[in-house]
Amino acid sequence: NAGVTQTPKFQVLKTGQSMTLQCAQDMNHEYMSWYRQDPGMGLRLIHYSVGAGITDQGEVPNGYNVSRSTTEDFPLRLLSAAPSQTSVYFCASSRERGAYNEQFFGPGTRLTVL
Amino acid sequence: AQSVAQPEDQVNVAEGNPLTVKCTYSVSGNPYLFWYVQYPNRGLQFLLKYITGDNLVKGSYGFEAEFNKSQTSFHLKKPSALVSDSALYFCAVKAAGNKLTFGGGTRVLVKP
C-alpha cells in the first residue's frame, strides 16, 4: 500500500492564483481530512469528509473548497491564493468515523504564496 | 470547545536519559488521546493512543504515555532517549465526532 499520497510536494503561487492540492489514499478509509501546519500552532483542521459525497468545514475553512467524489480522493482547492495561506498542508485518513481511530498522514505540500 | 496544551516548546535531553513531553487537555466528555511524531520534512506518524482501560499506554519505538484524568494530562515518556528520537511531537485529543485537535508541538532534541 502507498498509504496517503499528496501532490505536489512544493508549490509557489502568486496572490490571486488558484490551484488544487491532490490527496489520495489506497486503504479504503472512509474519513479524510485536510490540515494546515503553521509554526507554534500545531495542525488546524481545514475541511473533512466522512465518506464519498459528504464534506464539512473544520476550524479554518475560509478560502478553501473540497469535494469527495470517490472514497480514494480528497482534493483541496485554493480559490484565490493569499499570502496568509502560506503553510504546509497535510492530508490524513482513518477508518470509519470512530473517535478512537488514529489518522494516517501524507508527506505534506509546502505552499508559498507571494 | 476542546483544546490541548503542550507547555514546552522544546525539550533537551542527553542520550540515555529519561524523556518526558508534557500534554494537558480540555474536553467535554470522555477524551480519546493521541501522540504523533514528525521527523523533518515528513508527515506525522502515529505513536500511541489512549481510548479506555489501563492508564499506562505503550506505543511504538519504546514510548509510553500515562493518562491522568484528575490532572487532565497525557504525558509522553521514554525511559532512555536516543539521538534518533529528536523530532517534533504532537499531542492530540478527540471527543465528539471525529475532529482531532492538536497541541502546538514540542521539539525534542536528544544530544549524544
Side-chain angles (χ1 to χ4, degrees), chain A residues 31 35 37 40-43 45 48 57-58 90 94 96-103 105-108 110, chain B residues 32 34 36 38 41-46 49 51 88 90 94-105:
Chain A
Y31 183 86
Y35 296 88
Q37 182 180 24
M41 301 185 72
L43 277 75
L45 183 64
Y48 66 98
Q57 296 182 348
F90 290 100
S94 66
E96 298 106 28
R97 194 180 175 178
Y100 46 83
N101 291 318
E102 65 269 24
Q103 295 195 19
F105 285 81
R110 186 175 295 275
Chain B
Y32 301 101
F34 301 79
Y36 289 85
Q38 184 181 29
N41 300 315
R42 302 283 296 275
L44 277 70
Q45 296 178 28
F46 169 73
K49 64 183 177 184
I51 303 303
L88 189 56
F90 289 99
K94 281 186 195 176
N98 203 22
K99 296 181 184 180
L100 194 61
T101 298
F102 286 86

Side-chain angles (χ1 to χ4, degrees), chain B:
Chain B
Q2 57 193 44
S3 65
V4 177
Q6 294 180 241
E8 301 158 315
D9 289 337
Q10 182 161 322
V11 170
N12 297 317
V13 63
E15 187 174 31
N17 282 1
L19 168 64
T20 298
V21 185
K22 296 179 180 177
C23 170
T24 59
Y25 66 90
S26 173
V27 69
S28 298
N30 292 324
Y32 301 101
L33 294 153
F34 301 79
W35 276 101
Y36 289 85
V37 60
Q38 184 181 29
Y39 298 101
N41 300 315
R42 302 283 296 275
L44 277 70
Q45 296 178 28
F46 169 73
L47 274 180
L48 52 79
K49 64 183 177 184
Y50 171 81
I51 303 303
T52 187
D54 195 348
N55 289 343
L56 184 64
V57 179
K58 293 189 184 296
S60 307
Y61 312 120
F63 283 94
E64 58 188 28
E66 186 167 10
F67 172 64
N68 187 316
K69 187 173 184 178
S70 63
Q71 297 186 4
T72 62
S73 67
F74 189 55
H75 301 330
L76 181 70
K77 300 180 181 181
K78 187 171 183 180
S80 179
L82 301 172
V83 172
S84 57
D85 293 328
S86 298
L88 189 56
Y89 291 80
F90 289 99
C91 181
V93 66
K94 281 186 195 176
N98 203 22
K99 296 181 184 180
L100 194 61
T101 298
F102 286 86
T106 298
R107 188 165 302 279
V108 170
L109 180 60
V110 182
K111 298 181 179 179

Side-chain angles (χ1 to χ4, degrees), chain A residues 37-50:
Chain A
Q37 182 180 24
D38 301 293
M41 301 185 72
L43 277 75
R44 292 181 292 168
L45 183 64
I46 303 172
H47 285 285
Y48 66 98
S49 168
V50 299

Side-chain angles (χ1 to χ4, degrees), chain A residues 1 8 17 19 25 32-33 40 48 50 60-62 64 71 73 102 106 108 110-112:
Chain A
N1 286 352
Q17 287 184 314
M19 78 159 295
Q25 52 91 10
M32 296 185 74
S33 53
Y48 66 98
V50 299
V60 288
N62 292 341
Y64 307 95
T71 299
D73 300 300
E102 65 269 24
R110 186 175 295 275
L111 175 68
T112 302

